[in-house]
Amino acid sequence: MCYKFRLLDKTADRKGFDCGDDKLNRYLREIVSQDEKRGLAKCYICCKENEPYRIVGFFTLSSSCVYREMLPDEINKIKKKHIAYDSVPVILIGRLAVDTEYQGKGIGILILIHALKIASEISRKVGVLAVMVDAKSNEVVEFYKRFGFESLPENPKRLVVSIKYINENFTVGGVDI
């Protein structure tokens, strides 16, 4: 099955999306447009190629920062000598969800890799050290750790992965991201 990604627009059926989490469903249906208008986030949707209006999953991206000393040692030990700033720029994957009909079919992985691809592209034009996520549960923490994310020492449900790691370890369709 072929999937396509695009920015959320008015043609997408937000009301038909159900990921099983009322807060995420409400966010997509009622709040994301306000966040986009205010410049707080961009929402990308995943749709089947032959059903471009039906949302299979979505994610949001925003800019953010994190205090350098809060970073895991793997990121901080390499960069600490060279970074003179107290906080460093990151891209935040604020929300990521998959419709219940498509859960367990690898769509979450596809969505995450697409988000990381965009983050990598952004990092070629704007300074970005890492991608950050806030996991809702220990199960979600483990999902992100499978892709190289590391928990912040003071907040195990906030995870980061360096842009360098993304660029060195991920490919999409055989093309390095």
Side-chain angles (χ1 to χ4, degrees), residues 116-160:
L116 296 177
K117 177 182 181 219
I118 293 171
S120 176
E121 291 168 356
I122 291 168
S123 77
R124 290 180 182 93
K125 298 174 183 169
V126 177
V128 176
L129 180 67
V131 174
M132 183 169 64
V133 297
D134 289 313
K136 293 179 60 171
S137 67
N138 292 333
E139 180 182 15
V140 176
V141 167
E142 293 308 312
F143 169 79
Y144 285 114
K145 284 186 174 185
R146 289 177 26 211
F147 299 95
F149 282 81
E150 298 176 68
S151 292
L152 298 185
E154 294 181 19
N155 183 353
K157 289 187 179 173
R158 175 163 273 189
L159 299 98
V160 293

Side-chain angles (χ1 to χ4, degrees), residues 33-45:
S33 294
Q34 297 167 30
D35 280 358
E36 286 190 332
K37 285 177 188 170
R38 294 177 182 141
L40 301 174
K42 289 293 181 187
C43 182
Y44 293 82
I45 59 172

Side-chain angles (χ1 to χ4, degrees), residues 3 14 17 23-24 37 39-40 44 47 52 54 61 63 69 80 82 88 93 95-97 106 114 127 134 137 139:
Y3 296 95
R14 292 190 238 181
F17 180 84
K23 287 182 181 179
L24 287 170
K37 285 177 188 170
L40 301 174
Y44 293 82
C47 302
R54 181 144 194 275
L61 293 179
S63 62
E69 67 267 4
K80 204 170 204 173
H82 307 292
V88 295
I93 301 174
R95 292 173 176 77
L96 189 155
H114 191 77
D134 289 313
S137 67
E139 180 182 15

Side-chain angles (χ1 to χ4, degrees), residues 1 3 16-20 48 51 54-57 97-107:
M1 195 171 296
Y3 296 95
F17 180 84
D18 180 12
C19 67
K48 292 192 316 189
E51 291 183 84
R54 181 144 194 275
I55 301 172
V56 170
V98 177
D99 188 279
T100 54
E101 184 178 331
Y102 295 91
Q103 290 176 5
K105 298 179 180 180
I107 302 300

